[in-house]
Amino acid sequence: MNIEPTTHIASPMTTLVLLDPTSDDGEAPLHALTDDDHHVQVVVLLSGRTSAALRDYAASENLALADAGWIYLDQVADRLARTGHLVETVLATGPDPVTELALLASEHRIARIVLPPSINRLDPAAVTRVADFAPRVIVADHAVVAAA
């Protein structure tokens, strides 16, 4: 039997980015991305306190909450794509951001997870919990936003 060697292309390393559209510093993780973050998966929650701005927008525009979330994510993805990142977007429905990130991390090769500064206000133990399944966890600094 003749067996030819095959080359397997590994899936790209993914950077998971959690946004909090309700907080002033909720997009700080976008400013923490580097050229090394080729494949970026942007996550927004549709439940809990982080979705308040999306709920308000949905109500004012007479939209379903999911539609408001997709509109927001499309805008974010367009901005990121212009900088050369390969972008995927995810609307997460669970109430716990760490559980949602763990699920996504189980489906991808994770380089790092970038969290908004608001995560410490919402769940002081979140960073420690995320570190259990992520090789690198970064809480973006709101000062990065001011410098950008």
Side-chain angles (χ1 to χ4, degrees), residues 17 19 26-34 40 42 72 76 79-80 114 140:
V17 176
L19 298 184
E27 287 193 357
L30 299 177
H31 302 284
L33 294 174
T34 69
V40 178
V42 181
Y72 174 69
V76 169
R79 285 186 278 153
L80 281 178
V114 187

Side-chain angles (χ1 to χ4, degrees), residues 19-20 23 25-26 49-50 115-123 139-140:
L19 298 184
D20 176 358
S23 295
D25 54 12
R49 292 184 287 178
T50 63
L115 303 170
S118 61
I119 196 73
N120 290 321
R121 295 186 299 272
L122 298 169
D123 180 357
V139 176

Side-chain angles (χ1 to χ4, degrees), residues 14 22-23 68-69 80 90 131:
T14 299
T22 298
S23 295
L80 281 178
V90 176

Side-chain angles (χ1 to χ4, degrees), residues 46-90:
L46 290 182
S47 61
R49 292 184 287 178
T50 63
S51 64
L54 291 176
R55 285 193 304 272
D56 291 347
Y57 174 69
S60 72
E61 298 295 320
N62 199 28
L63 296 169
L65 179 58
D67 291 338
W70 286 122
I71 290 168
Y72 174 69
L73 282 172
D74 284 346
Q75 292 169 354
V76 169
D78 285 346
R79 285 186 278 153
L80 281 178
R82 283 188 231 127
T83 61
H85 298 285
L86 173 63
V87 183
E88 287 183 66
T89 56
V90 176

